[in-house]
Amino acid sequence: MPSREEEIEALKLQVAALTARVYQLEKLSGAASEVTRESLLPEHLHPPTPPSGTMLEPPRESSAFHPFPAATTPIPPTRETQPQPSRRPIPGATHAETDLEKKIGQYWLNRIGIVAVLIGVSYFLKYAFDNNWVGPGGRIAIGLLLGIGLVLWSERFRKRGYSAFSYSLKAVGIGTLYLSLWGAFQIYHLIPAAAAFMAMATVTAATIALALNQDAELLASFALIGGFSSPVLLSTGQNHETVLFSYVALLDLAILVLTIFKPWRRLLWASFVGTIILYLGWYSDYYTMDQRALTVAFAAMFAAIFAFIPLAASGTRSTLFSGHSTTLTLLPMFNAAAFFLALYVMYEQDKTTLTWYALALAAVYLGLGSAIKNRLSVEDANFINLLHVAIAVAFITIAIPLKLDSQWITIGWLVESGMLLWLSVRARADFLRYFAAVALTLGVGRLLFFDEIRAETLVFNMRFATYAVAIAILGGIAILGKRHASQSEKIFLDIAVVGANLLALIALTREVSDYFDRQVFAARNLVGAYPELKIARDFSYSAIWLVYGVALMAVGFRKRSAFARWQSLILIAFTICKVFLYDVSQLGGSYRIVSFIALGAVLLGISFIYQRDWLRLSPHSPEDADQAVR
């Protein structure tokens, strides 16, 4: 048994060993470890505190006996105690500058370096090819092996956390594979078109599988670009409609299925645009009337795939903005419009069949809206359902009288703008108001500048009815918009009021003009009839404008609307200028007398109303002034 003195000596050595450990931990972490010492040592064995400015020296080991082995091996630091590299800011550099430097170093230099290496390799291969070091087969083999090697090599960087660098290498590798297969078919004719097409389809499918495995939308976009580029790269200049559109439909279906499992809705837009581009490219070069049935079938297939998106989507909320998904809102509208335009081009001369197509599409979209309403939550279902109802209404508006006159396209745009505005209020989707404004602008612009509607009767004709629809839409915006428009949108309500008044004046003026044109045509054989009819027409213009101005002034007084009164004053001023500058020289006899007397009477009446100050526009009304005199 060791003596008491030996046990005390052993305890001292053990305390010294523990102190050495604390010193080593303090040296590794770079921080004061006073708390650690206190947690390791008993309270009565605290080592003496060194004087300020000195460092604790580890005690020297003794060769004396001690019952516990002295642990002189340093304890490996845990994750919490490992020294972390300090991120010291660069002297004189702001946060934005350091971010820019990091972006340049990590991304820009990475891409420039890859491009530089590829250019160097390309020059080397070109040099080897020019000197016939490598034959055509070898060149294609090198390209394929290089593409596969880059894709495999990129995985090492991805596993180490360098995802951006890895995806850059994958992009180069996948592009090399597509170009190598293109060269094997188009340049060297080493493989037939079918083999090259299957090989490119395999590359596309492998890239999609890789995107799913790595949850990488960027890789899926690579596959999408390559997939839609394959028909262009492998084009033989011949018409292969069935093969081309079958492949495009399968690619669209693959993207649709992909977005069911992943929230990658931007791929749907890319798929839609790619389909439109390939369809237009084929149509402009190869379409003939005998292919119409097959082309309509494929166009309907594309439209059905994209119309199914709201039912198959994994969610209805936007992944970028608050509110409803812009993809599920806009893509159905664009899809419906694109499909109907394709039908319109193919059936332009067969309006009856086109009308039935429009009615069938209206029924389909009503059915889709009902199916969506049963599948989704209440709020989202109402929104998507109302959107499909609006599309169906647009088709019905176009379909019913489509075979009569082209002005129904104008009416369709006008009604569609009203439906979109109504939908934006009901679903609280403000961005739909921009599309309503576009539809309204197209409708009004077509009405004013493109539609040539011949009127055979006064007022009761299709042209005046089309103007009435436009005026009603603008009037509805002005009246109902007061309850729903924001403060910044109030100006558009004023524009709608002015637009409605202008359209009403234009419609009335054109009615008068057409009426007298018919009278001139009927009296073309009568001598002296044209000058008399021309004078009557000019007088009628002044009379209509003056009466409309008076009516507008009456509305302004009744509604106490300064905005309406100012419009009336501007119109009356324009009429005054016409009467004094034009009518005085052109009108003769009774027309001139009536024109001036009527104008004078109207102006005196309006002046009397303002002098009576019925609207209390002055600080003191005339009645108040009379009382003051008395």
Side-chain angles (χ1 to χ4, degrees):
M1 291 290 294
S3 62
R4 183 179 299 275
E5 289 78 12
E6 290 176 341
E7 290 179 353
I8 293 174
E9 185 66 20
L11 287 174
K12 289 181 179 181
L13 293 174
Q14 185 66 24
V15 170
L18 291 174
T19 305
R21 288 188 185 184
V22 172
Y23 170 78
Q24 291 170 351
L25 291 175
E26 180 181 353
K27 187 175 180 180
L28 287 174
S29 62
S33 55
E34 199 67 37
V35 177
T36 308
R37 292 196 201 115
E38 292 177 2
S39 63
L40 291 175
L41 300 180
E43 184 177 356
H44 64 281
L45 293 178
H46 281 179
T49 304
S52 177
T54 63
M55 294 184 62
L56 181 63
E57 292 291 335
R60 300 184 181 181
E61 293 192 17
S62 171
S63 59
F65 168 79
H66 49 83
F68 307 103
T72 58
T73 304
I75 301 175
T78 61
R79 183 180 298 272
E80 288 78 8
T81 60
Q82 285 182 352
Q84 299 294 329
S86 60
R87 295 185 177 180
R88 298 179 179 177
I90 301 174
T94 64
H95 181 69
E97 291 173 345
T98 55
D99 285 347
L100 178 60
E101 178 184 354
K102 180 180 178 181
K103 184 178 294 185
I104 292 174
Q106 290 187 358
Y107 300 102
W108 295 2
L109 295 183
N110 161 259
R111 287 160 173 75
I112 296 173
I114 290 175
V115 172
V117 171
L118 290 177
I119 291 175
V121 172
S122 301
Y123 276 121
F124 169 75
L125 293 177
K126 182 179 184 302
Y127 184 78
F129 297 160
D130 291 341
N131 289 276
N132 292 322
W133 293 356
V134 183
R139 300 171 189 177
I140 299 301
I142 289 174
L144 294 175
L145 292 174
L146 180 62
I148 296 173
L150 285 172
V151 173
L152 296 177
W153 187 38
S154 68
E155 283 298 294
R156 298 186 59 185
F157 293 96
R158 186 184 66 84
K159 293 177 180 179
R160 294 180 180 179
Y162 304 108
S163 299
F165 189 81
S166 171
Y167 293 146
S168 299
L169 290 178
K170 282 187 176 68
V172 176
I174 294 170
T176 302
L177 290 175
Y178 279 112
L179 292 177
S180 299
L181 293 172
W182 168 76
F185 168 71
Q186 289 284 20
I187 298 179
Y188 299 115
H189 308 290
L190 298 177
I191 57 176
F197 187 78
M198 290 302 298
M200 287 190 177
T202 302
V203 174
T204 302
T207 307
I208 292 177
L210 196 63
L212 283 172
N213 179 260
Q214 298 181 6
D215 195 20
E217 184 180 4
L218 185 61
L219 290 181
S221 65
F222 294 162
L224 191 62
I225 294 172
F228 279 101
S229 300
S230 297
V232 180
L233 295 174
L234 301 178
S235 175
T236 60
Q238 299 175 348
N239 183 13
H240 299 289
E241 179 184 8
T242 303
V243 175
L244 172 63
F245 288 157
S246 297
Y247 167 77
V248 173
L250 288 175
L251 191 57
D252 289 337
L253 280 174
I255 298 301
L256 178 61
V257 173
L258 190 64
T259 54
I260 293 176
F261 301 100
K262 300 291 183 180
W264 298 340
R265 295 175 186 162
R266 286 176 291 188
L267 298 180
L268 295 171
W269 285 104
S271 180
F272 181 74
V273 173
T275 303
I276 294 294
I277 291 174
L278 289 181
Y279 178 85
L280 293 177
W282 173 87
Y283 187 92
S284 61
D285 291 337
Y286 302 111
Y287 175 77
T288 55
M289 186 62 68
D290 59 333
Q291 298 174 284
R292 184 168 66 178
L294 183 61
T295 305
V296 168
F298 277 116
M301 184 186 301
F302 298 145
I305 291 172
F306 291 105
F308 191 74
I309 287 173
L311 285 172
S314 56
T316 60
R317 312 304 291 179
S318 176
T319 56
L320 298 177
F321 311 101
S322 61
H324 300 285
S325 168
T326 53
T327 298
L328 301 186
T329 303
L330 301 182
L331 201 53
M333 292 194 298
F334 290 162
N335 178 49
F339 181 48
F340 188 76
L341 286 175
L343 293 175
Y344 184 84
V345 172
M346 288 185 283
Y347 288 93
E348 188 175 3
Q349 305 302 323
D350 188 0
K351 297 298 178 62
T352 301
T353 303
L354 193 61
T355 301
W356 285 110
Y357 272 126
L359 291 174
L361 285 173
V364 167
Y365 274 91
L366 286 175
L368 278 174
S370 178
I372 292 170
K373 189 174 182 179
N374 295 331
R375 175 184 179 272
L376 303 178
S377 62
V378 176
E379 180 183 359
D380 297 334
N382 288 336
F383 171 71
I384 302 296
N385 179 50
L386 289 174
L387 176 64
H388 283 72
V389 169
I391 296 174
V393 169
F395 279 129
I396 293 173
T397 304
I398 295 173
I400 294 176
L402 183 63
K403 60 182 180 179
L404 298 178
D405 291 297
S406 60
Q407 72 269 11
W408 286 100
I409 298 177
T410 303
I411 295 177
W413 281 345
L414 294 172
V415 173
E416 181 70 6
S417 67
M419 291 297 299
L420 288 174
L421 285 172
W422 170 75
L423 179 60
S424 70
V425 173
R426 289 290 303 273
R428 297 180 180 179
D430 293 343
F431 68 93
L432 287 180
R433 299 181 186 183
Y434 299 106
F435 294 93
V438 172
L440 182 60
T441 303
L442 290 174
V444 173
R446 181 182 175 89
L447 175 63
L448 293 176
F449 304 110
F450 292 97
D451 284 346
E452 295 293 338
I453 307 172
R454 186 174 180 83
E456 298 296 337
T457 58
L458 186 63
V459 177
F460 298 99
N461 55 70
M462 281 306 304
R463 183 182 61 202
F464 195 80
T466 307
Y467 272 93
V469 171
I471 294 169
I473 296 294
L474 292 172
I477 293 173
I479 295 172
L480 301 178
K482 295 179 180 179
R483 291 183 292 177
H484 304 288
S486 63
Q487 189 62 35
S488 60
E489 293 174 333
K490 296 294 185 181
I491 186 174
F492 296 105
L493 303 184
D494 296 338
I495 294 175
V497 171
V498 174
N501 287 323
L502 287 176
L503 287 180
L505 285 170
I506 293 173
L508 293 172
T509 303
R510 293 190 67 178
E511 289 299 308
V512 170
S513 177
D514 279 6
Y515 171 79
F516 281 102
D517 286 344
R518 292 192 296 271
Q519 297 299 318
V520 169
F521 181 79
R524 61 186 181 277
N525 296 324
L526 298 177
V527 178
Y530 176 74
E532 186 68 22
L533 290 173
K534 181 176 179 297
I535 292 173
R537 183 192 62 185
D538 294 339
F539 172 79
S540 299
Y541 289 160
S542 300
I544 288 175
W545 298 346
L546 190 60
V547 171
Y548 195 92
V550 171
L552 201 56
M553 180 65 71
V555 172
F557 278 113
R558 181 178 179 81
K559 299 292 185 181
R560 304 184 69 85
S561 171
F563 186 63
R565 296 195 302 273
W566 272 106
Q567 292 180 78
S568 173
L569 290 174
I570 293 173
L571 178 58
I572 291 174
F574 183 79
T575 307
I576 291 172
C577 292
K578 179 180 181 297
V579 170
F580 279 91
L581 298 179
Y582 180 82
D583 292 354
V584 70
S585 60
Q586 298 296 323
L587 300 182
S590 58
Y591 286 112
R592 184 185 302 171
I593 296 171
V594 174
S595 178
F596 275 89
I597 291 177
L599 177 61
V602 168
L603 295 179
L604 289 174
I606 295 175
S607 175
F608 177 74
I609 293 174
Y610 274 100
Q611 289 184 28
R612 294 294 298 175
D613 201 13
W614 289 353
L615 297 175
R616 299 295 189 269
L617 300 178
S618 302
H620 301 288
S621 63
E623 290 83 354
D624 297 336
D626 293 341
Q627 293 292 336
V629 171
R630 293 175 185 175

